[in-house]
């Protein structure tokens, strides 16, 4: 509920605080007194765009502060949290519009974006005026009216949240698909390089080893001849080193009994003979193990050529290529992750779309079921405001039950169809209703859903234009009835409407000191009679007008 509105330096308002009461609040005043400025101040507090031209002459900025009591509206907590705004039972919205630069906004003393206030304002206040008629007659507004009647406002809000989640997921899937496609292209090249390098079975220093072996092979016959010659010198039966050592050992053993010290030489000769024998065997094995065949040389040359080709291709030596293989494998795993991420996101999107589609179908059924009862309730209300022959229908247009058909409204759109007189064809409300009829249709829709709609403050800005007399009395009565379930603010020029008020505010101008100021005054009983009398008779208030005003108030108070 809106408790108070403070306005500073906005048009004719210098510094005004306006208290509001529960129930039916009426704002009256002479033409030009500033009633529309009061409505504009509410719009500014609700996050609508500010006009620097509306700043009071000579002032640097205009300021509007709106105080709300939300203690009875815990259902708004989720909406505030979704908008990233702190929740408190008392809400203070403050807006400053400078003469130059961007406007600024605060919520309970904390700076917030204007868009954040605009996001929650429809939950706090509904503006109904000639200015807002195009919006109120739009398909989204028709669907909102249907949801209010059907009691599906929370389901509709969840449909909007689900569609936001789906939209985010769809965008993430598109981005992941681009990354995945890039990954697939990259993987093809990576796999080729990994295959090529892995098949090469690279080893550090292999090129140098092959080059050294090729140098050896070029001199292979000479090496083999040298090795064989050395072996022959060691093992020849008559003149070889082994034979000589065997002879030396035998001679030394002959003198062993004479000179015990010769035994040491015998041992040394035996050790030399064993070592020479082992050397001979190693030379033999080395000679036999050398492959100096053309096939071996060709194989080594091919291997060296392949290694050098890879080094030239990748501009790296073998150790760097080995490290590069590890790098390529790590990149390949990362690209696999990008592909897996697309699969994961698509699966999440599929689940989210399936859940949203089930909820949207249930919401669509509820809306379809409520369309006819809402029309009957609205038609009953129209009869109470002198449109008893009028017919109203809510036409629900549902898209095909598929994920691709989902939108922020689920699967549905709605349009209000109307005809003022029996026997005429139902046509879109915006095309056929007059200004006076539109105001009564809007009121009928809100009263028809009064038992189930959200407890927003509803502001009617001279919505009673184009009516008068008994019709005005009936409109006043229905505004009063609506205020039984929600706070109503009504700017009116009709005494028949003002007579039903629970709280009456008078907007008036006062001249002094070379300036004109506007004040807003809550009226007591006698002042209220005088104001209604002025509205009845004009500038000159007569006793007859006062009597008529008392009569209007008395009739309005009758059950």
């Amino acid at each position: 509920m809106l408790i108070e509105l403070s306005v500073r330096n906005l048009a004719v308002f210098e510094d005004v605080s306006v208290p509001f009461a529960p129930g039916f609040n009426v704002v009256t005043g002479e033409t030009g007194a500033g009633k529309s400025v009061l409505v504009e101040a509410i719009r500014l507090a609700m996050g609508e765009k500010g006009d620097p031209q509306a700043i009071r002459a000579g002032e640097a900025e205009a300021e509007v502060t709106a105080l709300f009591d939300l203690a009875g509206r815990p259902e708004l907590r989720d909406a505030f949290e979704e908008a990233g705004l702190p929740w408190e039972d008392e809400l203070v919205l403050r807006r400053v519009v400078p003469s130059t630069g961007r406007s600024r906004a605060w919520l309970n003393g904390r700076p917030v974006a204007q868009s954040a206030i605009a996001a929650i304002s429809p939950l706090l206040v509904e503006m109904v005026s000639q200015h807002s008629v195009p919006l109120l007659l739009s398909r989204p507004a028709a669907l909102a009216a249907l949801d209010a009647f059907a009691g599906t406002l929370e389901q509709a809000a969840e449909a909007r949240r689900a569609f936001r989640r789906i939209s985010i997921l769809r965008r993430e899937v598109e981005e992941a698909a681009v990354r995945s496609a890039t990954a697939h292209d990259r993987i093809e090249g990576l796999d080729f390089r990994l295959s090529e390098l892995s098949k090469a079975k690279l080893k550090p220093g292999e090129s140098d080893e092959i080059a050294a072996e090729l140098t050896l092979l070029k001199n292979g016959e000479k090496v083999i001849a040298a090795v064989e010659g050395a072996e022959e010198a060691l093992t020849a039966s008559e003149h070889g080193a082994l034979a000589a050592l065997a002879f030396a050992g035998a001679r030394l053993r002959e003198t062993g009994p004479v000179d015990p010290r010769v035994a040491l030489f015998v041992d040394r000769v035996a050790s030399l003979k064993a070592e020479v024998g082992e050397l001979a065997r190693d030379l033999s094995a080395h000679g036999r193990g050398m492959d100096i065949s053309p096939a071996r040389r060709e194989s080594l040359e091919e291997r060296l050529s392949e290694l050098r080709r890879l080094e030239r291709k990748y501009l790296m030596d073998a150790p760097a290529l080995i490290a590069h293989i590890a790098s390529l494998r790590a990149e390949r795993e990362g690209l696999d992750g990008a592909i897996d991420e697309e699969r994961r996101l698509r699966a999440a999107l599929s689940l989210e779309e399936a859940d949203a589609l089930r909820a949207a179908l249930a919401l669509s059924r509820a809306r379809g079921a409520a369309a006819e009862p809402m029309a009957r309730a609205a038609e009953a209300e129209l009869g109470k405001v002198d449109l008893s022959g009028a017919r109203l229908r809510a036409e629900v247009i549902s898209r095909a039950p598929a994920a691709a058909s989902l939108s922020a409204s689920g699967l549905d759109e709605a349009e209000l169809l109307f005809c003022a007189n029996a026997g005429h064809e139902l046509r879109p409300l915006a095309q056929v209703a007059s200004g006076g009829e539109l105001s009564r249709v809007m009121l009928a829709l809100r009263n028809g859903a009064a038992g189930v709609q959200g407890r927003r403050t509803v502001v009617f800005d001279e919505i009673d234009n184009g009516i008068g007399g008994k019709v005005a009395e009936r409109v006043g009565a229905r505004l009063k009835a609506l205020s039984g379930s929600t706070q109503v603010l009504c700017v009116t020029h009709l005494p028949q409407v003002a007579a039903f008020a629970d709280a009456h505010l008078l907007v008036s101008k006062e001249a002094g000191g070379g300036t004109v100021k506007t004040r807003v005054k809550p009226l007591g009983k006698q002042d209220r009679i005088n104001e209604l009398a002025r509205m009845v008779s004009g500038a000159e208030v007569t006793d007859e007008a006062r009597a008529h005003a008392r009569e209007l108030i008395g009739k309005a108070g009758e059950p």
Side-chain angles (χ1 to χ4, degrees):
M1 182 180 79
L2 178 59
I3 296 175
E4 186 177 72
L5 183 71
S6 299
V7 187
R8 188 172 62 83
N9 298 329
L10 182 66
V12 293
F13 283 30
E14 182 180 34
D15 193 354
V16 175
S17 291
V18 185
F20 294 101
F24 187 24
N25 295 258
V26 162
V27 179
T28 65
E30 295 183 356
T31 300
K35 300 188 296 296
S36 62
V37 177
L38 194 63
V39 175
E40 181 62 23
I42 295 175
R43 292 185 188 278
L44 281 175
M46 293 300 101
E48 292 195 17
K49 185 176 180 181
D51 182 5
Q53 297 298 320
I55 298 173
R56 185 176 173 86
E59 301 295 340
E61 61 184 26
E63 180 179 328
V64 175
T65 303
L67 171 63
F68 288 87
D69 178 7
L70 303 182
R73 299 198 62 190
E75 75 278 5
L76 296 183
R77 183 186 296 270
D78 287 345
F80 272 66
E81 290 177 355
E82 185 180 335
L85 300 174
W87 169 261
E88 296 181 31
D89 288 343
E90 187 174 85
L91 173 66
V92 179
L93 298 178
R94 177 170 166 249
R95 184 86 180 280
V96 172
V97 179
S99 56
T100 58
R102 298 171 64 95
S103 66
R104 305 183 301 280
W106 290 262
L107 187 148
N108 287 347
R110 305 176 188 180
V112 294
Q114 176 185 335
S115 58
I117 292 181
I120 62 166
S121 63
L123 304 173
L124 303 172
V125 175
E126 179 184 13
M127 308 294 293
V128 182
S129 68
Q130 298 295 328
H131 167 75
S132 61
V133 160
L135 176 62
L136 293 168
L137 297 178
S138 66
R139 287 190 168 192
L143 198 59
L146 184 57
D147 283 327
F149 183 87
T152 54
L153 288 170
E154 179 52 38
Q155 289 171 262
E158 178 53 35
R160 289 191 294 273
R161 290 191 289 268
F163 186 69
R164 278 197 293 273
R165 293 193 296 270
I166 287 171
S167 298
I168 291 170
L169 277 172
R170 284 174 176 171
R171 187 164 55 251
E172 290 177 347
V173 165
E174 288 176 3
E175 293 170 355
V178 172
R179 292 193 297 271
S180 180
T182 302
H184 278 294
D185 293 341
R186 177 74 174 153
I187 282 172
E188 187 176 348
L190 281 177
D191 285 347
F192 175 81
R193 279 176 281 172
L194 279 169
S195 175
E196 180 180 53
L197 291 172
S198 297
K199 286 178 181 177
K201 297 181 180 178
L202 300 170
K203 294 183 293 184
E206 186 180 7
S207 295
D208 293 339
E209 292 174 4
I210 293 174
E213 187 175 351
L214 284 171
T215 300
L216 177 62
L217 289 177
K218 290 176 183 177
N219 299 281
E221 293 180 355
K222 179 191 281 189
V223 171
I224 289 175
V227 168
E228 290 177 345
E231 182 190 4
E232 176 68 20
L234 294 175
T235 60
S237 58
E238 293 185 5
H239 305 293
L242 286 173
L245 288 169
F247 179 77
R251 293 299 306 272
L252 289 171
R253 282 192 294 274
E254 292 175 358
T255 60
V258 179
D259 188 353
R261 290 174 298 177
V262 171
L264 295 174
F265 298 118
V266 171
D267 291 341
R268 288 176 64 186
V269 168
S271 176
L272 284 172
K273 182 181 177 184
E275 185 175 350
V276 169
E278 184 177 355
L279 175 59
R281 287 190 296 274
D282 289 344
L283 287 170
S284 176
H286 182 65
R288 290 194 307 273
M290 285 187 64
D291 184 359
I292 60 172
S293 66
R296 174 60 178 169
R297 182 172 181 176
E298 182 179 355
S299 173
L300 289 173
E301 286 175 344
E302 287 177 357
R303 176 63 174 170
L304 185 60
S305 175
E306 173 65 7
L307 293 175
R308 288 178 175 168
R309 182 189 70 81
L310 292 174
E311 290 174 349
R312 287 193 304 271
K313 178 178 179 178
Y314 292 97
L315 301 176
M316 302 177 193
D317 58 14
L321 282 172
I322 292 168
H324 186 52
I325 291 172
S327 174
L328 291 176
R329 284 176 177 153
E331 184 181 357
R332 178 66 166 80
E333 290 175 3
L335 294 173
D336 285 339
I339 295 170
D340 291 341
E341 176 70 359
E342 183 193 4
R343 295 194 192 101
R344 185 191 67 78
L345 286 171
R346 286 193 183 279
L349 175 60
S350 180
L351 287 174
E352 190 71 49
E353 286 178 336
D355 289 345
L357 186 56
R358 280 192 295 271
L361 285 168
L363 176 58
S364 187
R365 287 191 293 271
R367 286 166 169 169
E372 182 61 28
M374 185 185 86
R376 288 197 300 269
E379 286 174 353
E381 284 293 324
L382 287 171
K384 296 174 184 177
V385 289
D386 205 37
L387 283 173
S388 56
R391 288 188 299 144
L392 183 74
R393 291 290 180 273
E395 184 178 60
V396 180
I397 305 103
S398 298
R399 295 179 290 276
S405 301
L406 289 168
S407 72
S409 63
L411 291 169
D412 309 314
E413 292 184 357
E415 188 165 36
L416 296 176
L417 305 178
F418 178 77
C419 69
N421 302 296
H424 287 218
E425 181 186 359
L426 286 164
R427 296 178 61 190
L429 177 64
Q431 297 178 13
V432 296
S434 65
E437 289 167 344
L438 282 173
S439 62
R440 284 177 280 174
V441 169
M442 292 175 191
L443 179 57
L445 286 169
R446 280 146 190 81
N447 260 315
V452 290
Q453 67 180 350
R455 290 168 289 172
R456 297 178 292 178
T457 296
V458 183
V459 179
F460 292 91
D461 180 17
E462 296 193 354
I463 201 67
D464 50 14
N465 281 344
I467 61 174
K470 290 183 178 180
V471 174
E473 286 184 23
R474 292 175 180 177
V475 168
R478 299 321 298 159
L479 286 166
K480 173 70 173 178
L482 178 61
S483 70
S485 60
T486 189
Q487 185 186 39
V488 175
L489 277 56
C490 180
V491 178
T492 183
H493 64 282
L494 295 176
Q496 297 95 328
V497 173
F500 285 88
D502 295 310
H504 192 149
L505 300 166
L506 174 64
V507 181
S508 60
K509 285 183 178 179
E510 291 182 352
T515 63
V516 176
K517 298 179 182 179
T518 292
R519 60 192 293 253
V520 181
K521 175 185 176 183
L523 298 182
K525 181 177 180 180
Q526 189 57 49
D527 287 338
R528 187 179 174 209
I529 291 170
N530 289 335
E531 172 60 8
L532 261 66
R534 181 200 64 76
M535 297 171 73
V536 169
S537 64
E540 186 177 347
V541 178
T542 64
D543 289 340
E544 183 180 354
R546 290 190 182 91
H548 186 36
R550 291 189 187 94
E551 181 184 354
L552 287 174
I553 293 172
K555 287 175 66 177
E558 293 176 358

